[in-house]
Amino acid sequence: MGVYLRVAGYAFRRYSTYRVATASAVVTNTVFGFLRAYILIALWQARPQLGGYDVADAVAFSFLTQALIGPVNVFAGSLELTGRIRTGDVAVDLHRPVDLQGWWLADDLGRAVFALVFRGVPTLAAGMVAFGIPLPGPATLAAFLGSAALAVLVGFALRYLVSLCCFWLGDERGLHTVSTVSTMFFSGMILPLVVFPGPLGEVARALPWAALIQVPADVFLGRHTGTGLLGVYAFQAAWAVALLGAGRALTRAARHRLMIHGG
């Protein structure tokens, strides 16, 4: 366990060195938060109570999604692991006395914590100041942080699977693009999933991408409490376990493939 904590700590420090990039990301996320907020305000003024949200919920949702872009890495369809697979450096990783999946998960958790604190919090704070978005109580805030942690796990598991496919495809860029587009559409990044009609909405809310943005945002808005909160936690945890398990099985297959082709 100690080595994974050190990997996570190193990742946190590594990302903290990119101060200009972090500041730029905060400004960009905040600006897009304002743009999306005004678009959603116009939509909800035309369709009040759409999807069970009011205008205040829609505005809060726009800034929450912008704040979660960094922690769940919405626009990154894969991990830096793909570069090591293409160059063959992954052979060194596989011979380390640590689990490959565990190593990259620890690295991603360190990155996610940094992104949440230094990118997510300032973006959400800007929305609170400009639009009066209320800060939830301690219990709801703690529930949100728990949901956000599970969202990070699901996001990592999805990107890890895409990265491992590079063992077979040789180039992950096509799959990376498909993964990114799917994440943006089905997570609620473009529009809240509550506005998706009929069967499309039901399917979208059952897919793993919903665990990345829509579920944590609804927890922050207080739409899930008591047994309902346990239900969404179970939803996120089930997808995290299933996808991490698939990643572990694919890691074993990739190791076997590397041994066959690399000796």
Side-chain angles (χ1 to χ4, degrees):
M1 181 60 70
V3 65
Y4 298 115
L5 290 175
R6 286 195 291 271
V7 170
Y10 170 75
F12 185 96
R13 293 193 301 272
R14 176 160 56 94
Y15 280 93
S16 69
T17 61
Y18 303 113
R19 297 175 184 175
V20 174
T22 300
S24 300
V26 171
V27 172
T28 302
N29 289 344
T30 302
V31 168
F32 275 93
F34 278 94
L35 292 175
R36 295 182 66 222
Y38 285 116
I39 291 172
L40 293 183
I41 287 172
L43 176 59
W44 257 264
Q45 286 178 341
R47 297 283 303 276
Q49 298 300 318
L50 178 63
Y53 281 14
D54 57 21
V55 173
D57 290 335
V59 171
F61 186 91
S62 68
F63 280 94
L64 278 167
T65 54
Q66 293 300 122
L68 288 170
I69 285 176
V72 302
N73 231 350
V74 170
F75 298 116
S78 58
L79 303 168
E80 295 176 8
L81 171 61
T82 55
R84 297 186 65 80
I85 295 173
R86 286 196 302 269
T87 61
D89 291 339
V90 70
V92 177
D93 300 337
L94 289 170
H95 280 87
R96 288 182 178 139
V98 292
D99 179 69
L100 181 70
Q101 188 182 42
W103 175 284
W104 285 98
L105 175 57
D107 181 85
D108 200 57
L109 289 176
R111 177 205 59 77
V113 171
F114 174 82
L116 179 63
V117 174
F118 293 99
R119 289 180 56 176
V121 170
T123 299
L124 184 58
M128 290 179 172
V129 171
F131 291 95
I133 298 172
L135 184 68
T140 301
L141 189 59
F144 165 73
L145 292 176
S147 182
L150 289 170
V152 171
L153 285 178
V154 175
F156 164 80
L158 287 166
R159 288 179 284 115
Y160 184 75
L161 285 171
V162 172
S163 301
L164 288 184
C165 288
C166 195
F167 275 103
W168 288 268
L169 299 177
D171 191 326
E172 85 294 345
R173 284 177 293 183
L175 192 58
H176 175 111
T177 301
V178 172
S179 175
T180 301
V181 172
S182 299
T183 300
M184 291 180 63
F185 185 78
F186 288 111
S187 68
M189 184 65 221
I190 297 177
L191 276 176
L193 298 185
V194 295
V195 308
F196 283 26
L200 175 61
E202 294 177 5
V203 171
R205 289 188 289 272
L207 293 173
W209 294 286
L212 304 181
I213 298 292
Q214 185 67 52
V215 171
D218 279 343
V219 171
F220 184 94
L221 293 174
R223 291 168 63 90
H224 298 298
T225 58
T227 57
L229 178 61
L230 294 179
V232 296
Y233 275 178
F235 170 77
Q236 289 180 290
W239 273 118
V241 170
L243 293 169
L244 289 171
R248 184 159 295 278
L250 200 60
T251 301
R252 288 196 296 268
R255 185 187 296 272
H256 181 65
R257 178 177 177 83
L258 185 66
M259 290 178 65
I260 290 176
H261 289 277

